[in-house]
Amino acid sequence: MTGVQTCALPISDVFSKPNALASFGAQVSRAQMDLLLHVADAVVVAMDNDQAGIESSKKLYKFMGTPRKGIKWWNYSNTEAKDIGDMTDEEIEEGLLTATVVPPWIG
């Protein structure tokens, strides 16, 4: 045994479930977005629910490409939480299910 652990999870199990990616900050570079769009079928943008998050979303909106199944923007209308980490499971589910193709700050 070499100490390397292997994963016995079938590939179909991994790719049949939604995946998530966090930038851990308000800044997302064009290179990061290009890489994400290269591998993602769809993207739901969920920047923080504050002025800095809105400004970052606006910058991202300007240079973001389009993945195969489109882009949606997180819906924070059902919560006062600043970000997903402060939300209940129910609020997260509602925000994801009601994400829109038009960013909320455009309307």
Side-chain angles (χ1 to χ4, degrees), residues 54-71:
I54 292 169
E55 294 305 316
S56 293
S57 291
K58 288 178 180 179
K59 290 177 187 174
L60 189 61
Y61 183 78
K62 288 180 183 178
F63 70 79
M64 187 174 208
T66 305
R68 294 175 288 282
K69 294 184 180 178
I71 298 170

Side-chain angles (χ1 to χ4, degrees), residues 46-54 74-95 104:
M47 303 302 266
D48 283 355
N49 188 24
D50 60 12
Q51 195 58 41
I54 292 169
W74 193 268
N75 180 359
Y76 278 105
S77 66
N78 67 322
T79 183
E80 295 294 319
K82 179 182 174 274
D83 59 41
I84 293 173
D86 296 334
M87 296 171 76
T88 66
D89 290 347
E90 292 78 20
E91 289 173 324
I92 292 170
E93 184 176 359
E94 180 70 18

Side-chain angles (χ1 to χ4, degrees), residues 3-102:
V4 176
Q5 295 181 352
T6 60
C7 178
L9 188 64
I11 296 289
S12 61
D13 287 349
V14 173
F15 291 106
S16 65
K17 295 176 175 56
N19 295 292
L21 172 72
S23 68
F24 296 107
Q27 300 301 317
V28 178
S29 72
R30 187 176 304 238
Q32 288 172 312
M33 188 52 58
D34 288 345
L35 180 60
L36 176 62
L37 295 176
H38 180 73
V39 298
D41 285 331
V43 173
V44 177
V45 178
M47 303 302 266
D48 283 355
N49 188 24
D50 60 12
Q51 195 58 41
I54 292 169
E55 294 305 316
S56 293
S57 291
K58 288 178 180 179
K59 290 177 187 174
L60 189 61
Y61 183 78
K62 288 180 183 178
F63 70 79
M64 187 174 208
T66 305
R68 294 175 288 282
K69 294 184 180 178
I71 298 170
K72 290 190 177 181
W73 300 84
W74 193 268
N75 180 359
Y76 278 105
S77 66
N78 67 322
T79 183
E80 295 294 319
K82 179 182 174 274
D83 59 41
I84 293 173
D86 296 334
M87 296 171 76
T88 66
D89 290 347
E90 292 78 20
E91 289 173 324
I92 292 170
E93 184 176 359
E94 180 70 18
L96 184 57
L97 291 174
T98 60
T100 62
V101 296
V102 177

